Amino acid sequence: MFFGAAELFRTQVQQACADPNLRIIILRLKNARHMDATSVMALEDLVRALRADGRDLLISGVMKDIYRVLRDSGMVEVIGKDNLFLASPSNPNVATRNALKRAQQLLGTTEADVKIFFDPTKKKEA
């Protein structure tokens, strides 16, 4: 997530969020690297736009270097500590599991229709 990818990020997330029934977005940043100011601003725009529509953003798989950028830029407060889930190298899926539990808490239910969006052009790792 650097300045060259910020507009692509914004466009793809806007497309994914086009469904008005989508209440909570979980953004998995496990593979995000080198987040810069442009990406932080795009993320802040996303958080504010979602909240204006009565929706929430949760972020899972946050690596230490990305957390540091979010903390130093003030984004931890904007997003909310309860909505950030740090990556665990020993259990790569625990952050997303915890984000899903938080989503259930915000929705006030244990039942939810979960949709997974991904970039089909991204090459699979061998």
Side-chain angles (χ1 to χ4, degrees), residues 35-81:
M35 183 177 265
D36 64 9
T38 304
S39 298
V40 169
M41 290 183 347
L43 189 57
E44 183 175 11
D45 288 346
L46 174 62
V47 170
R48 295 191 191 285
L50 289 171
R51 287 198 180 136
D53 286 342
R55 303 196 253 177
D56 290 294
L57 177 74
L58 308 178
I59 301 179
S60 76
V62 178
M63 303 301 259
K64 288 180 184 179
D65 59 331
I66 297 296
Y67 183 83
R68 202 169 14 260
V69 171
L70 295 174
R71 181 197 64 211
D72 294 349
S73 67
M75 281 301 296
V76 169
E77 287 76 26
V78 172
I79 297 164
K81 279 188 175 186

Side-chain angles (χ1 to χ4, degrees), residues 8 22-23 28 35 40 53 57 75 80 84 88 90 101 103 107 112 123:
L8 177 62
L22 199 59
R23 169 73 176 80
R28 186 166 161 88
M35 183 177 265
V40 169
D53 286 342
L57 177 74
M75 281 301 296
L84 285 171
S88 171
S90 63
K101 285 183 175 184
L107 292 170
K123 293 182 181 178

Side-chain angles (χ1 to χ4, degrees), residues 2 8 19 43 49 85-87 90 105-106 123:
F2 63 101
L8 177 62
D19 181 351
L43 189 57
F85 303 91
L86 299 178
S90 63
Q105 179 186 33
L106 291 169
K123 293 182 181 178

